[in-house]
Every structure is written in structure tokens, then in C-alpha cells.
Amino acid sequence: MEQSGAYLRFGDGDVCIADGEGDLLQEKNSQMTLEMIEAFSASGPGILKTLPLNSSRFGMEYGMRPGVHLGADERCDFFLVRCFPYFLGNKIYNTCALHHQAVVDTEYCIDFLRLLRAKTILFVGCCDVPDNVKMLLFGTAFHVKTPASDSYKDIDRICFESSSFLEESSSFGVVVVAMGCAGRIFINRMLRFSFNVFYFDFGSLLDALCQRETRAWISETSVMDKSTYILKRLSE
């Protein structure tokens, strides 16, 4: 089904920014804090918001363990208490859904990535993603390049280039976003334009596919080895 909307992956960094702090890849910024709160509050048809709530108390999937998508109960309590007002009337979806499938059901992950590639018309993500990886994951989608860090400082330009491209597109498509915490703010801004697209927040699986150990779950699993296999299968 082709429905406009967005999949937003909220996590630790987003909560820190909403609380007026900075993040590992984002400097503290009061305007960014206000926009992150707005992003947390996004709602409506097709809006899928997530939190990292996998734990012994709240439930887990096969293969999850400490360091691999399984959090402490106390940490999940924190997320619920801090973020509950933003999720009233909204389902809470899984932040690591695609990442975990890459670990425990690689073939399913590959099938999803093929479907995603077939629908993707725009990739909004880091400027240093290798061209061969972009082609295998997103095909010939137009690339709006974002900085490797502090993407929020460049968000006006990123939104302008993205909206300019989408204004020329008449058919439904997917916009893949991979720009860290600022990506949630970008998506919320773009939702105001009511383009006939679905915004998909890709996440750190892209780092693994680029052979970069940026997260604990990447270094604690065999996903770096599997990433080579995933890209090979996508090339077939």
C-alpha cells in the first residue's frame, strides 16, 4: 500500500536534545530543542513513532541481549516516563526493527531492502556514503548530501534541496533519511509540505553496511560480516 507518512526512530540522543542538551554528533542548540519537541509530537495517519523499549519487563525478540538491542528495565522506564506525553493516542513502534532483522533473519532484511530500493526516489544522508553502497541500497535515487556531524546547522539547505526535488515529482515514492537526530527534525519539517511520499528513517544499519562500527550492536554481532553478504545479494 502506498501511503504518505513517516517512520521516526527516536532514541537517547533525541531525548537529550529535547531536554536542552547536545548529542554525540550534535552541538547544543535551543532552536533545535524546540524543533525536536515538535518532532516528538508529530501525529496523524501514516506517522509511526518508535522508542527503544526492548527489555525483560517490556518484551524482547529472539536474539536480543545486552549490547544487542536489549536495554535495562530502568532505562526503558526512563523513556516511557520522559516521552509518554508525546505518544498519547499513538502506538509505540520498535526503533531497531530493521537492524535486528539484519542480525537474526538476514534474508528477510534483504527482501525488505529490495522493496525499499524499488520505491526510493530520494536519499537524504551523509555525504561520505560510498557510491556503490548507495546504488545497491537506493538505486538511482537523488542524493541530498548531509554533513557527517552537526547536520542541524545545515538543515535549511537540506530541506530546500529536498523540497525542490519533491516538487518536481508527481508519483508516490519513499524518502530515505539517514542524518542522525537532525533527521527527525528534517522529517517533521518536510511533513508540513504534504508531499506524496513516505519518510523512512534508516538508522545505523547504514553504518554497518559501510563497514563502520559506530554502535555497540554492530561490534557485538556478526553484522559486519553479514553486510558484505547483504550487499552481494542486493547486486544480483
Side-chain angles (χ1 to χ4, degrees):
M1 181 174 66
E2 296 182 345
Q3 179 180 348
S4 59
Y7 172 68
L8 296 139
R9 301 178 58 260
F10 292 107
D12 299 65
D14 306 282
V15 174
C16 288
I17 290 171
D19 282 343
E21 302 299 327
D23 177 58
L24 182 63
L25 297 176
Q26 286 288 167
E27 293 183 2
K28 182 178 178 179
N29 181 301
S30 59
Q31 182 59 36
M32 180 174 62
T33 290
L34 292 175
E35 291 205 69
M36 183 60 78
I37 292 172
E38 290 180 4
F40 265 109
S41 302
S43 63
I47 304 299
L48 311 178
K49 299 192 294 186
T50 76
L51 286 176
L53 297 180
N54 303 298
S55 74
S56 298
R57 180 184 302 161
F58 295 102
M60 67 185 82
E61 298 292 334
Y62 169 80
M64 290 184 175
R65 52 187 170 82
V68 184
H69 305 138
L70 183 67
D73 291 335
E74 295 75 17
R75 189 61 176 161
C76 292
D77 285 338
F78 162 79
F79 277 114
L80 280 179
V81 171
R82 178 62 184 84
C83 302
F84 178 75
Y86 305 125
F87 284 81
L88 288 172
N90 295 272
K91 291 183 178 179
I92 302 176
Y93 291 88
N94 196 323
T95 299
C96 64
L98 179 59
H99 304 57
H100 196 59
Q101 290 303 314
V103 175
V104 301
D105 193 345
T106 307
E107 296 303 321
Y108 185 91
C109 176
I110 291 168
D111 288 343
F112 178 83
L113 290 174
R114 284 175 174 155
L115 175 63
L116 186 67
R117 179 175 61 190
K119 297 291 185 179
T120 300
I121 59 173
L122 175 63
F123 170 54
V124 182
C126 192
C127 57
D128 61 1
V129 175
D131 289 339
N132 66 309
V133 175
K134 280 193 299 183
M135 180 62 68
L136 292 173
L137 289 175
F138 314 124
T140 58
F142 185 72
H143 185 189
V144 171
K145 296 181 179 180
T146 67
S149 62
D150 276 336
S151 294
Y152 185 77
K153 289 183 178 180
D154 215 10
I155 198 166
D156 290 340
R157 188 268 304 170
I158 294 166
C159 288
F160 175 77
E161 291 184 9
S162 299
S163 59
S164 296
F165 172 82
L166 293 175
E167 284 171 355
E168 300 299 319
S169 178
S170 58
S171 59
F172 175 84
V174 172
V175 177
V176 174
V177 182
M179 52 183 288
C181 295
R184 267 66 82 188
I185 294 173
F186 164 79
I187 291 172
N188 188 58
R189 281 195 187 189
M190 296 298 292
L191 285 170
R192 300 169 188 165
F193 291 98
S194 299
F195 290 120
N196 186 29
V197 298
F198 187 90
Y199 299 92
F200 184 80
D201 194 351
F202 200 91
S204 57
L205 177 59
L206 182 58
D207 293 331
L209 293 168
C210 293
Q211 295 292 305
R212 298 168 184 163
E213 293 189 20
T214 59
R215 298 289 189 277
W217 77 271
I218 298 175
S219 58
E220 293 290 329
T221 67
S222 60
V223 74
M224 290 285 279
D225 295 328
K226 289 183 177 181
S227 65
T228 302
Y229 171 74
I230 290 171
L231 293 176
K232 180 179 183 298
R233 288 292 309 282
L234 290 174
S235 70
E236 296 174 352

